[in-house]
Amino acid sequence: MSYTNKTQPTAISPDAYLQKNMANKPAVQAEAKVLIDLYAQATGWPAVMWNKIFGFGKYFYQDSKGGEHEYLASGFTISATGFTLYNLLGWKAYEKEIVNLGKHKFSGKSCLNIKSITDIDLVVLAKVIKLSVIDLKKKYRVE
């Protein structure tokens, strides 16, 4: 039995998504745009909306039955309390760098939550994103 990921790339642009869903939250829009630029520079890929996730690149993995699937390589989403940043390999591998990130919380292996980009060091975040993409490429086919 094959399955399809619920999270798929969509046709809406990140700017259109922000205008539609964050029209009354200009500060959130501004911070999201900073993160979009940071992720695009750190990964080398443009932002693509994967449902509500701002995704950058994609990687391909096999399920237990040998079926190949794709998922975003890196990205973030806007949450009710700020932003959730995704690291598909997990944040634990980057503990040494994250010590200097600033105010954040983990929620699960792959999710890091921040309230605002002003609470973190964006240079540290960019470094971790770059490292995680390099490491992802060592394990998976990445585009």
Side-chain angles (χ1 to χ4, degrees):
M1 182 173 162
S2 183
Y3 72 92
T4 303
N5 287 332
K6 291 179 184 177
T7 305
Q8 294 287 325
T10 61
I12 189 169
S13 74
D15 282 339
Y17 177 86
L18 288 172
Q19 289 173 5
K20 179 181 178 186
N21 297 288
M22 299 292 142
N24 60 344
K25 297 181 179 180
V28 172
Q29 277 189 30
E31 289 196 24
K33 287 179 181 183
V34 170
L35 285 173
I36 289 168
D37 289 344
L38 181 140
Y39 270 84
Q41 285 187 325
T43 65
W45 297 302
V48 173
M49 294 308 301
W50 289 65
N51 298 351
K52 296 178 179 182
I53 301 173
F54 297 83
F56 299 83
K58 58 186 171 182
Y59 78 103
F60 299 85
Y61 64 94
Q62 291 196 341
D63 63 27
S64 60
K65 299 189 190 282
E68 187 175 72
H69 305 279
E70 67 179 37
Y71 198 70
L72 58 110
S74 191
F76 71 92
T77 191
I78 300 169
S79 68
T81 58
F83 298 91
T84 300
L85 314 179
Y86 299 106
N87 183 322
L88 284 300
L89 294 175
W91 291 98
K92 193 146 183 81
Y94 309 98
E95 282 180 302
K96 186 174 69 175
E97 292 82 7
I98 291 173
V99 165
N100 299 313
L101 181 63
K103 191 174 177 182
H104 65 279
K105 290 181 184 176
F106 294 107
S107 60
K109 177 183 170 189
S110 300
C111 300
L112 184 144
N113 300 303
I114 62 171
K115 287 187 180 192
S116 170
I117 62 171
T118 61
D119 293 336
I120 63 169
D121 185 329
L122 294 176
V123 173
V124 172
L125 178 60
K127 180 180 179 181
V128 173
I129 293 167
K130 284 179 187 178
L131 289 172
S132 69
V133 168
I134 290 168
D135 291 343
L136 194 67
K137 287 179 177 180
K138 292 175 185 175
K139 294 184 174 198
Y140 301 96
R141 182 168 59 98
V142 180
E143 297 178 355

